Amino acid sequence: MANSDADKLMAKADKLTKLSFTRWSTDWKTATSLYEQAAVAYRFQKDNEKAKEAFEKASKGQEMISSPWDAAKHLETAATLAKELGRLNEVADHYRRASEFYMEAGRSQPASDALAKGASALEEGMPDEAIKMYTDACVILEEDNKEQMAFDLYRNIAAMYIKTQRYTDAATFFLRLGVAADKCNAVNSQCKAYLSAIIVYLYAHDFGQAQTCYNDCSQVDAFLNSDQNLCAMKLLSAYEEGDAEEIKRAANSSTIRHLDHSVIRLAKKLPTGDLNGLKKEEEASATLDEDDLT
């Protein structure tokens, strides 16, 4: 079908959605079918601009005839075309609206998936919006008690925070993953998440927070008796001793090599900061504690 034929379909559909002196009611059902035909034709002709518009109108048509599932599908396609055209704001808007339509259809998993697709498309161009969309995708699954389906989303968010050097936020989401994994009895994922959070704190040279995180996580029996706990303990002990070589050995363990790539990359760079200064702080703290006992 030539573009001129698709243009005629669009024009005919537009007329069916507007009232006039000779048309007292709209016909969205017929118009939607015409928009869909035009959208396919434009896409075949690689006219992404017109194809995007046609899919947007087809989505509106499906909304008007109370078919939120199909409305969402068309908006997802429009979002893909918007990405190809470099319209990142439209990408975000379309995937968010698609997610809303899926929720109207009572489908939380596709609603979350739509936000995750949008986030993935925006990681490079709009990282903050990508994080928000990943986070909202998690919330949808959490509210539907489907935390296990959100594990990859937690990891993606943490990786985004690491990429943007927001290490405290990254650690927070690893801990959030740990809590979700605990609810699902996913012990391996839980322990890996806790170790990841500790490594992130160490990379940020926040030994105090890393130690606190380790102590808190060790209250969980599953972590206390895990290989990940042993690895974390070796790392923290090496930090307390100010032993850079031992830190490197611990950071290169097989336990860490099974973590997410973003965390492995941080571990390979340990230690960061001044270990001597850290050791002096620990010694000063120990001296103060002894004075308190006398």
Side-chain angles (χ1 to χ4, degrees), residues 3 40-51 81:
N3 264 25
V40 172
Y42 285 135
R43 201 172 189 189
F44 181 76
Q45 296 294 330
K46 301 189 185 304
D47 189 338
N48 289 347
E49 185 69 57
K50 288 186 175 181
L81 293 167

Side-chain angles (χ1 to χ4, degrees), residues 39-78:
V40 172
Y42 285 135
R43 201 172 189 189
F44 181 76
Q45 296 294 330
K46 301 189 185 304
D47 189 338
N48 289 347
E49 185 69 57
K50 288 186 175 181
K52 181 179 72 70
E53 181 185 359
F55 277 113
E56 289 167 348
K57 290 188 174 183
S59 176
K60 179 63 177 179
Q62 292 292 354
E63 178 188 7
M64 295 300 290
I65 60 177
S66 302
S67 181
W69 175 271
D70 290 317
K73 284 292 184 183
H74 288 326
L75 269 188
E76 285 199 77
T77 305

Side-chain angles (χ1 to χ4, degrees), residues 116-144:
K117 289 176 190 175
S120 179
L122 297 173
E123 281 189 10
E124 294 299 327
M126 297 174 64
D128 287 342
E129 181 62 23
I131 289 171
K132 289 177 184 177
M133 293 182 79
Y134 275 134
T135 303
D136 290 344
C138 283
V139 170
I140 288 175
L141 295 175
E142 289 170 346
E143 291 180 346
D144 204 23

